[in-house]
Amino acid sequence: MAAVSVAAEWQLLYNRYYRKPEIYTMQWKQFDLNRNKVACAPFGGPIAVIRDDSKIVQLYAESALRKLRIFNSAGVQLSETVWRHSGGRLVGMAWTDDQILVCVVQDGTVYRYNVHAELQEPNISMGKECFEQNVVECVFWGNGMVCITEANQIFCIPDFQNPNPCKLADPLLEEFPLCMTVIEPQYTMSGNVEVLLGVNDHVLLVEEEGVQQLGVGVGPLQKMVVSRNGKLLASFTHDGRVLVISTDFSKIIFEYNCESALPPEQLAWCGMDSVLLYWDDVLLMVGPYGDPVRYLYDEPIILIPESDGVRILSNTSMEFLQRVPDSTVSIFKIGSTLPAALLYDALEHFDKRSAKADENLRLIRSSLPEAVEACIDAAGHEFDTSRQRTLLRAASYGQAFCSQFQRDRLQEMCKTLRVLNAVRSYEIGIPLSIQQYKLLTASVLIGRLINCHQHFLAFRISEYTGLNQEVVIMHWACAKITASLAIHDAALLEILLDKLKLCKGISYAAVAAHADKSGRRKLAAMLVEHEPRSSKQVPLLLSIGEEDTALVKATESGDTDLIYLVLFHIWQKRPPLEFFGMVQARPLGRDLFISYARCYKHEFLKDFFLSTGQLQDVAFLLWKESWELVKNPMASKGSPLHGPRIKIIEKAQNLFSETKEHAFEAKAAEEHAKLLRMQHELEVTTKQAIFVDSSVNDTIRTCIVLGNHRAAMKVRTEFKVSEKRWYWLKVFALVTTRDWDALEKFSKEKRPPTGYKPFVEACVDAGEKDEAIKYIPKLADPREKAEAYARLGMAKEAADAASQSKDNELLGKLKLTFAQNAAASSIFDTLRDRLTFQGGS
Amino acid sequence: MAQIPNLENSPINLTALRDQSQKELLNILKNIRGKKCLVLDPKLSGSLSLIVPTSVLKENGAELRHLSAEPVQTECTKVIYLVRCQIDLMKLVCSNIQSDISKGLQREYHLYFVPRRTVACEKILEEEKVHQLVNIGEYPLYIVPLDEDVLSFELDMALRECLVGGDTSSLWHIAKAIHKLEFLFGVIPNVRAKGKASARVADLLNHMQVEEPVILSDMGAPEINTLILLDREVDMVTPMCSQLTYEGLLDEFLRVNNGSVELDASIMGVQQEGKKVKVPLNSSDKLYKETRDLSFEVVIQVLRQKATSMKQDYTEMTTTTQTVSELKDFVKKLNSLPEITRHINLAQHLSTFTSKPSFQGQLDIEQTLVEGDNYEVCIDYIEEMINKQEPLVNVLRLLVLFSTTNSGLYKKNFDYLRRELLHSYGFEHMSTLNNLERAGFLKKQESKSNWVTIKRALQLVAQDETTSSHDIDYVFAGYAPLSIRLVQHAIRSGWRPIEEILKLLPGPHLESKRGGHVKSSPIDARPGMPTSLDKVTDGHRSLVLVVFIGGVTFAEISALRFLTAQEGMAYDVIVGTTKMVNGRTLVETFMDNLG
């Protein structure tokens, strides 16, 4: 039976099965791990290889120059570069979570490469101390690193995305520690990295803030490694024991005595269940219970810990050592009679057209759903596609007999496996297990694929898994631009647009920005033309120097903020005259500039108006300035006649008179200056500072009130005040001074051009009934008479006057005025009745 | 009674809109821990009073101050400036901070822009070297609901900025605000616009839908069916006339500010010397909701009637024996007593203004101007106003009305009146005159006026008085507002039938369909065939958003409400405006305060 052969490859560690399928035969030719320093990225990532300069190796037919080569997990070379860095030996090399290869050399310089072996500038220096003391050893985790120097000082880069080296507390060591490892920041209380140093018989925990002594007496420890979840520490003691301790050193979880006291070359966790020790030729797997499993190797290997097992890289193959998943055990364990095994068996019988298939199904009827589930799950854990297929077929076969089973579970698994199989192929070489894939997530996987320039696959996967393809297309477009120096702008634009249009809402501006950065300004300009979002488009146009277009686009968008952005940009970059020219050509831009400058850059605005010949606008500005001067008392000091204020106003007047259309303003400015002069004079002669900045009318009024009728007349003639206005003014002024004789005399001077209305109104307003009555009869219009009487509360007289006017409506209104007064209102009622009667007859 | 209006009866969920604004503001406060001083620009503080009660701001640890040229006096070390993005306000903020620095005060500054940060404002911060000292944030308040059917964008200077300065920032703001509404209530399928600014907003709105689309499939059918955009510039006649509705008069004489009026306590029957009280005015007050849109004369009758029936009930109550349920009814009626008293007090106060002969004279001359047939009388009236030195705003208001209906003044009168104005009120008003001229509201005549044609074609002035009770002209003295007539046509049949008239009014007009989400009958789907809204088809009332760019008066809103309340009208209206205005406040925005 096939099932038997499957289980035959398993090894039992106490009660758990382990398997170690080969996932790749390495594609590299004649490769010796021993001669090289190797860095393997987890999650089936790339492998970086460089000749080990700490070993003496024989050179065959090769250059003495060292080469850094990067392979995928199947040993297919992705890229290579010549290593020419100075700074001493390469001390440490590892991949970060972002798949950046970090190489640390003795003098503390950190070089970074991407998967294309392109150096990522800038290089990081670990600082002066490292430079002087020499780095001896490095430990890496996710996105960080610590290193220790010959002077036993520890330095750290907590996050390579933001590489700021810092120094940890001085552990005050005399000798170099026996071993070193770290607890990742995400698992520590402080949120900062903790370094564990094996020193004498104990361990030192070093942090930024201080040093702590832990586990006195457990050691001396020769080798340490922390488990994936940061909770457990596996170590190898000087007397040949494997010791697993909780990382707070409160508890020893288990202990195993090895035959040799020689510390292993490599120590690693296999998932969370067992610890691997590697010496030359022997790989030992130790679990908490039972005898360890021993594997023999006749070539060097490298252990690559993964979340659910360990990949084992040798010169010729890549294996994956993992605990056999429970679902797989339930199916393939020798002699298993669990439902899943019977279902798998049933399919075999079915394929052979044997009736035993039915028998099997009957046996497991009640637990069919769990059997189907187990088959699906087991399929997911398989690397072998034919076995995946068989398991899925078994699931599908069983599913046909189950009514309540989530059918999309099978479909989901097929989808997932398609993705996994695609990336596991030799040319891609990412041997993810299903558990790793789930941990990594599809979007990160897509990110890694596009970083490796596997855009097409990434595109297909994101399409298949329903993720947004924008990331892929965007990256592709940028990569395409970088790689297409030889293609003409127009041709390249066409190629790019063809793909960019696949994705709605993609940011053309971002692609254009990349084109610009790659030195293809013209292409950038062409691309940005396609960007629909002005808020993205305009800043970019500015950065590629397309200022005019930016101004046009900003104006089109109607977003005044964008227009200002462009304006300030040009304003800063260009000489004023050039700026004025550009602004003048765009009405909205011009108006906004003027609005801003009016508030904040007065003088500059004047220059602008002068340059564009808008003299009247300069005049208005000057004229407004003259008012500003009032607020600033310092400026108006000095001789009043030639005061700076009047000068400015006269300057404004001259500018106004330059254009015919502004004759009115010119005249007004002239009069304004004249008025100010007269007011100054008046203040001097009257010794009262009450004239300046009042209106012509007020000046006249003040003169009359002060009894200075000559001065009033002078102002009147000087400003050609009309007869009518003069009467209104003088009457009101006289009433203010309560000079009733003068008022009467004035009324009799001649027939007033305004009629007697001003006299009546002024007296009524002042509440002078007796005076008012003198003038009311002289009013010509009976309506006005009636209203005046009404305002004085004289109902009878009002009614009489109203009846003269024969105005029904007026009567109604008057009645409303007298509404509170019963007697008065009856007068109006009778009158109105009479009127209506007359009107009706 | 709360000043924050109750929005539950709104045809769309405005409560959600306001709640969001409230939450955003409180989050700003919460994210800055501990005690803090919140410095508001005064105008914004008025708008905010319709969003969040000040007590809630205080509960969140904020001490409140108004932004002014004076440095902020507070013990708090954290100062939050919440200001509209305006250049002159930036100068105040900068001088505030600079004064703190010179005094050696160490404070933490947060500057939140309403509704968004702008390059121009930040430029000033940079030039004044305070940019590094402040943490900048945004408070995206684009819309303030004034009532269940009125939204304000709180852009009081919009008209002036657009027409005098050519600064169209407000148009972007309006489009953004409408687009925000679309995110909540769906893409508005029908758009009708009249006027330069309106056409631009319609254009911007389409632009925004391209840049930042409201995903059509995410939403159900759009809740707002039609958007009508109208420039104030198209109808400057209406706001210059005196409003005669209750609410309109309250605004004319007492100035309704952010949904309330402030007056002497004695007027409201509270005997406290010199104390001011704030009276909230919104539809949460049932009696106000009932009367606000009525002509003031009618309101007096209504109030009298209510008072009388109340009195009657009361006398009955004291004389005869009552059943318990009758007693209960009576007590229920008594509950409305404070409302009735409040409005009687207000109405009484108002009538002291309306009964003045000068007000009657004002109405007469407005009527003459709207009739547009007695040029000389009008000139004389205005000249006399100037001679009497009546408040400048009133003179300008009439002048604008005159200039608009007459398409300008004869050059002789134009120069003469302007000179009289400058002589009487001072030369500092030259810039005010210039502003009005630039806006086109005051000009010399260059072509014959077509006001009479417009007036006749749109039946703005009732021919005989009997028809008037069924029409919207009651809101002004016998004049049906032009703006509302246009809206009426836009709703009923679209622009096409009145295209000839529209051409006589300033600015382009346009009509467009958007979104492709319209579920319409085949007839409507035909291009160029406007959707008619004012027939009841399936009992479903459709919703029209009418946006006035440059402000709207209460009387116009009353007229719209009057229309939707007519029998057989199958639509509701929500009004959006840059600001609530009347003739006086509108003219005031054009006045420069010099000297």
Side-chain angles (χ1 to χ4, degrees), chain A residues 12-84:
Chain A
L12 192 62
L13 178 66
Y14 185 56
N15 59 357
R16 288 163 180 169
Y17 288 101
Y18 282 82
R19 65 177 173 184
K20 192 170 64 84
E22 177 179 306
I23 37 187
Y24 295 123
T25 312
M26 296 310 278
Q27 299 297 298
W28 53 38
K29 295 272 152 29
Q30 293 174 348
F31 188 82
D32 187 1
L33 288 174
N34 265 340
R35 287 161 48 91
N36 291 290
K37 258 199 154 51
V38 181
C40 304
F43 290 101
I47 302 169
V49 171
I50 186 165
R51 202 169 67 222
D52 193 343
D53 51 355
S54 64
K55 289 181 184 159
I56 298 169
V57 293
Q58 186 185 353
L59 292 179
Y60 303 106
E62 61 185 307
S63 152
L65 275 176
R66 289 198 291 158
K67 262 189 188 168
L68 173 68
R69 297 199 285 165
I70 294 173
F71 298 89
N72 70 16
S73 285
V76 175
Q77 182 167 321
L78 300 175
S79 56
E80 62 172 32
T81 184
V82 177
W83 179 272
R84 295 178 196 276

Side-chain angles (χ1 to χ4, degrees), chain A residues 179-284:
Chain A
C179 58
M180 172 162 101
T181 189
V182 297
I183 306 176
E184 291 184 31
Q186 55 173 323
Y187 301 121
T188 64
M189 291 282 282
S190 61
N192 291 324
V193 69
E194 294 177 355
V195 180
L196 300 176
L197 300 177
V199 183
N200 299 332
D201 67 339
H202 59 265
V203 171
L204 286 182
L205 186 152
V206 186
E207 284 177 284
E208 220 165 314
E209 303 296 315
V211 184
Q212 239 179 301
Q213 206 178 50
L214 291 171
V216 180
V218 295
L221 302 179
Q222 303 280 7
K223 211 143 191 116
M224 293 187 293
V225 61
V226 177
S227 71
R228 245 196 133 62
N229 62 4
K231 290 208 174 90
L232 299 177
L233 178 77
S235 58
F236 191 86
T237 63
H238 70 300
D239 51 3
R241 284 173 300 144
V242 176
L243 209 55
V244 175
I245 324 168
S246 62
T247 39
D248 57 2
F249 288 81
S250 60
K251 201 162 98 192
I252 292 180
I253 309 294
F254 77 86
E255 206 178 319
Y256 171 78
N257 243 316
C258 294
E259 289 146 21
S260 138
L262 182 74
E265 281 167 35
Q266 294 176 52
L267 180 67
W269 283 88
C270 176
M272 289 296 300
D273 306 305
S274 57
V275 177
L276 291 171
L277 297 91
Y278 173 71
W279 293 267
D280 241 358
D281 300 346
V282 183
L283 179 65
L284 196 67

Side-chain angles (χ1 to χ4, degrees), chain A residues 534 599-600 701 719 757, chain B residues 91 128 211 384 389 419:
Chain A
S534 328
C599 272
Y600 202 73
R701 210 174 283 130
F719 288 94
K757 203 173 171 187
Chain B
K91 288 202 257 183
E128 295 292 328
E211 287 201 6
E384 197 178 297
Q389 296 236 253
R419 185 164 166 271

Side-chain angles (χ1 to χ4, degrees), chain B residues 157-414:
Chain B
M157 300 306 275
L159 194 62
R160 179 191 168 146
E161 283 167 359
C162 282
L163 296 179
V164 180
D167 176 354
T168 53
S169 304
S170 53
L171 303 186
W172 187 87
H173 180 126
I174 295 165
K176 186 82 183 167
I178 299 173
H179 197 51
K180 256 191 130 174
L181 287 178
E182 293 193 312
F183 273 104
L184 291 171
F185 307 115
V187 175
I188 306 173
N190 302 298
V191 177
R192 278 154 210 175
K194 168 65 190 171
K196 209 172 143 198
S198 294
R200 185 76 182 122
V201 169
D203 188 38
L204 287 178
L205 197 55
N206 287 334
H207 199 87
M208 284 177 184
Q209 174 65 12
V210 173
E211 287 201 6
E212 213 187 324
V214 174
I215 309 297
L216 295 164
S217 53
D218 287 0
M219 319 195 100
E223 289 182 52
I224 303 171
N225 185 282
T226 302
L227 169 66
I228 296 171
L229 293 153
L230 201 61
D231 281 22
R232 186 75 276 172
E233 196 192 0
V234 171
D235 173 19
M236 278 303 283
V237 173
T238 304
M240 293 303 133
C241 292
S242 302
Q243 312 171 59
L244 292 184
T245 56
Y246 182 31
E247 190 165 31
L249 278 173
L250 281 170
D251 187 39
E252 296 278 352
F253 291 116
L254 307 175
R255 295 197 178 212
V256 179
N257 252 326
N258 307 305
S260 69
V261 285
E262 200 176 88
L263 25 77
D264 287 330
S266 59
I267 294 163
M268 297 312 288
V270 187
Q271 291 311 324
Q272 265 175 307
E273 268 307 304
K275 227 191 142 194
K276 295 265 184 190
V277 286
K278 242 188 187 179
V279 184
L281 295 169
N282 54 51
S283 13
S284 309
D285 175 343
K286 284 203 196 76
L287 182 56
Y288 188 62
K289 189 177 180 178
E290 186 186 328
T291 53
R292 67 200 295 185
D293 302 317
L294 301 177
S295 150
F296 185 51
E297 284 171 39
V298 180
V299 174
I300 293 178
Q301 287 165 26
V302 171
L303 290 176
R304 184 174 294 141
Q305 214 172 20
K306 296 227 178 214
T308 326
S309 93
M310 201 75 171
K311 200 173 168 191
Q312 210 169 359
D313 288 345
Y314 185 71
T315 11
E316 278 170 20
M317 198 56 60
T318 48
T319 52
T320 45
T321 45
Q322 311 289 323
T323 66
V324 176
S325 74
E326 276 168 322
L327 272 171
K328 230 172 147 183
D329 281 350
F330 177 68
V331 173
K332 215 184 252 170
K333 274 190 191 165
L334 268 185
N335 284 338
S336 63
L337 196 59
E339 278 189 1
I340 296 178
T341 325
R342 179 163 58 231
H343 288 290
I344 287 177
N345 284 332
L346 281 174
Q348 204 163 23
H349 186 55
L350 271 190
S351 61
T352 60
F353 296 99
T354 56
S355 61
K356 277 190 189 153
S358 59
F359 180 62
Q360 298 298 332
Q362 167 96 6
L363 290 184
D364 285 345
I365 195 71
E366 281 172 11
Q367 217 164 355
T368 316
L369 284 166
V370 170
E371 288 284 354
D373 50 20
N374 205 334
Y375 186 87
E376 287 307 323
V377 169
C378 302
I379 291 283
D380 289 346
Y381 188 92
I382 293 170
E383 189 186 350
E384 197 178 297
M385 275 180 97
I386 299 172
N387 286 337
K388 286 194 214 168
Q389 296 236 253
E390 289 198 13
L392 179 61
V393 190
N394 297 354
V395 178
L396 292 175
R397 186 172 172 172
L398 269 191
L399 262 178
V400 170
L401 181 57
F402 189 27
S403 174
T404 314
T405 54
N406 209 54
S407 150
L409 283 70
Y410 299 143
K411 177 148 179 18
K412 189 185 80 185
N413 301 122
F414 184 55

Side-chain angles (χ1 to χ4, degrees), chain A residues 532-535 555-561 564-565 568 572 588 591-592 595-596 598-601 617 620 623-624 627 631 656 664-665 668 671-672 675 695-698 701 719-722 724-725 728 757 761 783 787 791 813, chain B residues 87-88 91 116-120 123-124 127-128 165-169 172 200 204 207 210-211 355 357 360 364 380 383-384 387-389 415-416 418-420 422-431 433-434 437-438 592 594-595:
Chain A
R533 275 157 295 197
S534 328
S535 52
T555 311
E556 274 171 18
S557 82
D559 185 347
T560 45
D561 194 39
Y564 271 123
L565 180 75
F568 289 133
Q572 219 155 36
L588 184 53
D591 289 346
L592 289 177
S595 294
Y596 176 83
R598 212 181 270 288
C599 272
Y600 202 73
K601 292 274 173 185
D617 286 308
F620 269 115
W623 186 77
K624 272 185 190 165
W627 290 98
K631 292 176 196 156
F656 276 132
F664 176 80
E665 283 81 4
E671 286 194 324
H672 188 193
L675 178 65
S695 66
V696 174
N697 280 11
D698 287 336
R701 210 174 283 130
F719 288 94
K720 300 194 181 72
V721 172
S722 69
K724 277 191 199 167
R725 175 141 58 95
W728 279 98
K757 203 173 171 187
E761 291 217 356
R783 285 182 56 123
E787 272 164 9
R791 283 183 68 193
K813 274 186 202 161
Chain B
I87 295 170
D88 44 341
K91 288 202 257 183
R116 58 163 180 167
R117 58 199 292 178
T118 63
V119 177
K123 179 84 179 168
I124 291 183
E127 299 229 352
E128 295 292 328
D167 176 354
T168 53
S169 304
W172 187 87
R200 185 76 182 122
L204 287 178
H207 199 87
V210 173
E211 287 201 6
S355 61
Q360 298 298 332
D364 285 345
D380 289 346
E383 189 186 350
E384 197 178 297
N387 286 337
K388 286 194 214 168
Q389 296 236 253
D415 284 351
Y416 178 74
R418 281 198 294 166
R419 185 164 166 271
E420 290 290 298
L422 293 183
H423 279 190
S424 303
Y425 298 92
F427 287 104
E428 63 265 38
H429 297 292
M430 195 155 88
S431 67
L433 291 178
N434 186 249
E437 247 182 284
R438 290 186 126 175
D592 275 330
L594 293 175

Side-chain angles (χ1 to χ4, degrees), chain A residues 686-723:
Chain A
T686 61
K687 300 201 173 61
Q688 297 200 65
I690 49 174
F691 287 97
V692 169
D693 279 338
S694 62
S695 66
V696 174
N697 280 11
D698 287 336
T699 309
I700 294 176
R701 210 174 283 130
T702 315
C703 287
I704 296 175
V705 170
L706 291 175
N708 192 346
H709 292 275
R710 268 194 54 200
M713 270 314 272
K714 195 181 166 212
V715 178
R716 185 201 158 180
T717 14
E718 204 53 57
F719 288 94
K720 300 194 181 72
V721 172
S722 69
E723 279 272 296

